[in-house]
Amino acid sequence: MVRFVDKGTRVLVQGITGTQGRFHTRLMLEYGTKIVAGVTPGRGRGEVEGVPVFDTVFEALEEADPEASIMFVPAPQAKEAALEAIEAGLNPIVIITEGVPIKDSIEIIARARRRGITIIGPNTPGIIRVGECKLGIMPSGVFRKGRVGIVSRSGTLTYEVAAQITRAGLGESTCIGIGGDPVVGLDFVDVLRCFQEDGETEAVVLIGEIGGDAEERAAAFISEGGFTKPTVAYIAGRTAIPGRRMGHAGAIVEGNMGTAEGKMEALRSAGVHVGSLPGEVAKALKRMMG
Amino acid sequence: MVRFVDKGTRVLVQGITGTQGRFHTRLMLEYGTKIVAGVTPGRGRGEVEGVPVFDTVFEALEEADPEASIMFVPAPQAKEAALEAIEAGLNPIVIITEGVPIKDSIEIIARARRRGITIIGPNTPGIIRVGECKLGIMPSGVFRKGRVGIVSRSGTLTYEVAAQITRAGLGESTCIGIGGDPVVGLDFVDVLRCFQEDGETEAVVLIGEIGGDAEERAAAFISEGGFTKPTVAYIAGRTAIPGRRMGHAGAIVEGNMGTAEGKMEALRSAGVHVGSLPGEVAKALKRMMG
Amino acid sequence: MKLLEYEAKEVFRGFGIPVPRGKVAESVEEAIRVAEMIGGQVVIKAQVPVGGRGKAGGILLAETPEKAGEAAARLLASGVRGIKVRRVLVEERLKIEKELYLGFTVDRRYRTYVILASCEGGVDIEEVASRTPEKIIKQYVDPIEGFRPYHARWVARRLGFSGGLMMKLSEIAMRLYNLGVEADAEILEINPLALVGEDFVAADARLNIDDNALFRHGNLLQSYGGGELEGLSEVEREARRLGLTYVELDGDIGIIGNGAGLTMATLDTVTLYGGRPRNFLDLGGGAPPERVEQAVTFLLNDKRIKVLLVNILGGITRCDEIAKGIVNARLKAGVTKPIVVRLSGTNEEEGIRILREGGMEVMGTMEEAAERSVLLAGGR
Amino acid sequence: MKLLEYEAKEVFRGFGIPVPRGKVAESVEEAIRVAEMIGGQVVIKAQVPVGGRGKAGGILLAETPEKAGEAAARLLASGVRGIKVRRVLVEERLKIEKELYLGFTVDRRYRTYVILASCEGGVDIEEVASRTPEKIIKQYVDPIEGFRPYHARWVARRLGFSGGLMMKLSEIAMRLYNLGVEADAEILEINPLALVGEDFVAADARLNIDDNALFRHGNLLQSYGGGELEGLSEVEREARRLGLTYVELDGDIGIIGNGAGLTMATLDTVTLYGGRPRNFLDLGGGAPPERVEQAVTFLLNDKRIKVLLVNILGGITRCDEIAKGIVNARLKAGVTKPIVVRLSGTNEEEGIRILREGGMEVMGTMEEAAERSVLLAGGR
């Protein structure tokens, strides 16, 4: 699936009755997302922003026929909620929740894979298909329909870069946050594969950070010719101290693995323009896209 | 797979160094079964009856390339041994072991199914393809190559019936014990389906007993035309008391479910000849097969 | 292993399934003390391993501790369906608003567990199933995914509950499943699961554990299962002590076979010829000679047996050794009742010779052996 | 949460992983007593949350209890890599025949656990991995099937063991995995796993628990983790007390951002402009105004900070409220050091007005804000 979601995607909101769930349901509806149902166990038969709420995903499935899910469920309940969505066959499942234990993420992702279901997140701002629909919490004001695809491990840093791209007069096609945790459903390569196929995306911005080797693998994928569109990258965390965690569990330099310099070097070798400052990203894109 | 095993099947014996394992390895080899390896954790690097013994199935796989497995592993270890064979892709896996907890059988069978692997048993005498190979503990002397297929939930009762068929001048193609436990890998319908396709099998004997509804489902399958060859059945346990267990966990009449009379009636309605005495089976077959 | 109600309820407590306040009592005094402790109306329930206790008079009500004592006295002095009552469970009387059924069992066909639920609780669930199958909710469990909280909520929703009651009911269903799996239950039932105010309480409890799994439940084995013996006759207890797979029947022909199927077939054949089997005794496949000797001795000592029929299909076992076992048993027992033997397998001829010399009648087939036994026992 | 060695070994014991006889001591007297209890030669190990203790002089040997006391005194009086030693672990000295490595960690790429094993134990495993990758055995775990006894045996076989040693080693690998999964370990290492006679003993132990999973490990939280604080400076402890996500650095520009990526980028930008960040402080996405106020106050009170840079990308949050928070913090703190703010989101204009009126410098982009901060701090 190249697009993950589009204007027609019927969306379920899990954890719709919580503060975050309610708030972002409103914003997503305002953006045009087709939210057809919500679920909060024990709170069924109500509504939120005009969206019917059910006790179980199975009921929502029978009554409202959702196709995809976005989750605002508290971390301790996230695993069961995700497994429920997986069993119901919802796809993709966007897990906004922060603080999901790694063990739970591993199980969620493994079970989703067996069913061919895409997990976006956890700990992600979500996905926005600019001008069509948003399954996420990103401020929609920073985006404007255009031809730049964004894939990122970060939240606010993505908004920063997107705002600059928009201000530069370009614009975005789709922006996907893969999530800041060490274990997430999508990695850069998965998303690059999609952007390669996506006719609406002309160039791509990759926003990485220290920790793991997702950026290095993306670089290898690009080197091998798997992704051929113009790409600009920004990697956060050059000032990080090895062994110290920066903000979230994903951003940690382990041994001499996953340093910002190593990632930048790998991407540069793959022919990717790597910005030293977030502000350079939009400038480089502008040059590339003429 | 119609045949499950044949002369060429390369067989692994799990639990080969135990008394039962050793004894039946010898008898199976004598019968012509191509046993290529044995496994007993911690006892690797030895041999039994000239068969090399390994510590793990993975090693046996690398060194001796078995295709199917027969297990003589004690009940408490049966689950892990079976899962190891499943992960190694061995097929079928014949579980001779008696006394496997139902919970373990459920897990073994579920995992085997996901891999498309056939489990025969547990608590089965195994399978014999008469004149070719035996993955089991049945006394081979009672069989003679012929055209009668036998499928049974019982052990010794099967030998009894087979001996009579042989004595009547007929003979057997394949004899499969599906196992006497409430939860087993194959049921009558699965085996009837195979016998239907098996050119070497002309008529079938079905040996059932009280408990469950496997015989009723076989009857329904025959009624619906799923199996069309001449069939003779014998059902043990007419004297059983509801709620009392006769010998093994499978043989129990629960409520008014699974009585011998009910099963006999269902089979008769499906056009199956049902013998009142084991001795009638061979006679009926002789009449049918001319 | 079948647990008694009070034992099952103890296990329930450990898994967080609410049960009524109460305690088991083995004497009238104890029953009074428990009733005093509980206060108010109580129920006194005979602890015997049989179903349908209510109809059989095994469950009584009492308004006061004194009356509870009287009820306990009545139960402890009597029997329920022929089984002596050694213990009673004294429990608070619940103000039941609704009775549900919740069960966990093994589905042979789908080779998995199934959770059963119904709004028709407190009655025979098999009757509900055959009369109004639509009133039984079945949730089959994927053995790899497991029964999960959302399945439990789905069950509760389909029973018609919502909000807080749905959450509570699903929590109990979840615990029922966890108990079932962790304790290797074959059958686990709460019937009725009582709605009392805003809470659910397991008013009754049934828990049968897979005997094959007892090796990993040493704790349960140690604490429970004594009640199971209470349902057994003297001779059955003795058989169990000897580790024999034995079921008592009311005829006069003693039967020994090896393998459950063969033994059942032997019983059936005897019955078909007009005889009345005294028992089912399965030696298991490939029984060693000592085992055969032990089983023969055991049945020879049963005075209700007129004739003994031994049907051994040795297969790979050596028949001469088995024959010696049978002859020895008879010699040692010093009992002269007739023994009819059917023996087949390795060294068959030698075995038959030994048996005949020892005064046994040896027949070639199961049918002949059965027919001969019936004749010796006096025919139909 | 990082456990200290002696804490990890306690957890190991609970999971049946053999560890040397020994006990933690907080004083010289205690250390002597433990050494006496053990008898013979002992090892005294500083309990500090850093690697490479051996090279840093944090591990000493002693022949007698007296010498053990002296060694303990030496360690307790000193520090290892700048961290004060509050406790030492006194253990029997093992007669090690072979040192293995056994580890459990998360593989990000395959999104699962991996069991790592090597015959090159007792040394830096990352060095082994880069120098001789063929000496590292990796067993990836299918998260649904789990790591099973036969996988463990397979690992042990590939390490070259057979027979009884293979069984023992695989048992330990199995327990390591069970511990890892049950305790939500991120990293779990036994390095070295010592072969002593015919047994394996975990000579060292490392256990880091996933902080996100601590909600289900109340018991571990209660008993352990105190050692983690020992690696922290005063200011880091204070940050932790306030629940701030803070990392101390050695510069003079205080930095607050929201979101780990944005905050890291802010640090990087400041560094790129020649400035030296004093810290990393991430408020998290969508931080409420009170949180901003608290963080600003915290950094204003840090005397090593010359300039404070606040970079908030409010997005959906209201900027006017955040602006008020910053102004309030400064007023209350009564500290006049310069604050450079970059603020973006809903009600941005109003927010900027409030900040400017409050005497803050407000910049339009992160780059401008960083540049300005570096200038105010004295430039490069």
Side-chain angles (χ1 to χ4, degrees), chain A residues 80-178:
Chain A
E80 290 301 332
L83 295 185
E84 188 176 6
I86 290 166
E87 187 166 326
L90 301 182
N91 190 7
I93 298 167
V94 180
I95 306 177
I96 301 299
T97 312
E98 257 183 272
V100 176
I102 295 175
K103 179 163 76 181
D104 296 0
S105 296
I106 286 175
E107 188 173 345
I108 291 168
I109 294 165
R111 294 196 187 271
R113 283 192 170 186
R114 295 220 168 176
R115 297 278 310 256
I117 288 169
T118 299
I119 300 290
I120 302 180
N123 191 14
T124 173
I127 176 171
I128 184 168
R129 200 167 159 78
V130 181
E132 285 194 39
C133 75
K134 171 171 99 160
L135 274 74
I137 58 170
M138 51 281 274
S140 45
V142 302
F143 299 99
R144 202 184 63 186
K145 186 74 190 170
R147 303 183 63 77
V148 178
I150 302 179
V151 56
S152 172
R153 276 171 70 187
S154 167
T156 42
L157 181 56
T158 310
Y159 317 155
E160 169 82 32
V161 172
Q164 296 195 13
I165 292 169
T166 301
R167 229 177 291 132
L170 298 166
E172 304 80 20
S173 53
T174 293
C175 173
I176 298 182
I178 60 174

Side-chain angles (χ1 to χ4, degrees), chain C residues 227-292:
Chain C
E228 209 176 12
L229 293 176
E230 292 179 17
L232 301 181
S233 68
E234 273 310 311
V235 60
E236 283 177 320
R237 279 184 212 209
E238 175 64 9
R240 181 173 287 228
R241 210 182 51 75
L242 295 170
L244 295 171
T245 305
Y246 177 92
V247 177
E248 188 179 15
L249 299 165
D250 56 7
D252 50 15
I253 301 176
I255 291 171
I256 294 174
N258 64 332
L262 187 72
T263 312
M264 280 193 277
T266 312
L267 265 74
D268 293 350
T269 304
V270 164
T271 307
L272 207 73
Y273 282 111
R276 289 167 53 245
R278 164 63 176 146
N279 69 283
F280 167 96
L281 197 167
D282 170 22
L283 296 168
E290 313 80 62
R291 195 96 186 116
V292 179

Side-chain angles (χ1 to χ4, degrees), chain D residues 12 16-21 92 94-102 117-119 152 155-157 159-173 175 190 192-204:
Chain D
F12 276 27
I17 299 173
V19 295
R21 286 183 306 129
E92 63 175 321
L94 301 171
K95 289 202 186 64
I96 298 179
E97 284 161 40
K98 200 169 164 55
E99 294 188 323
L100 309 178
Y101 170 91
L102 206 55
S118 176
C119 276
V155 167
R157 275 297 295 134
L159 283 178
F161 291 90
S162 59
L165 282 180
M166 180 205 74
M167 296 302 273
K168 280 179 184 167
L169 182 54
S170 69
E171 189 57 49
I172 291 173
R175 288 172 181 174
I190 308 179
L193 176 64
L195 177 58
V196 180
E198 287 290 296
D199 286 298
F200 294 97
V201 182
D204 199 355

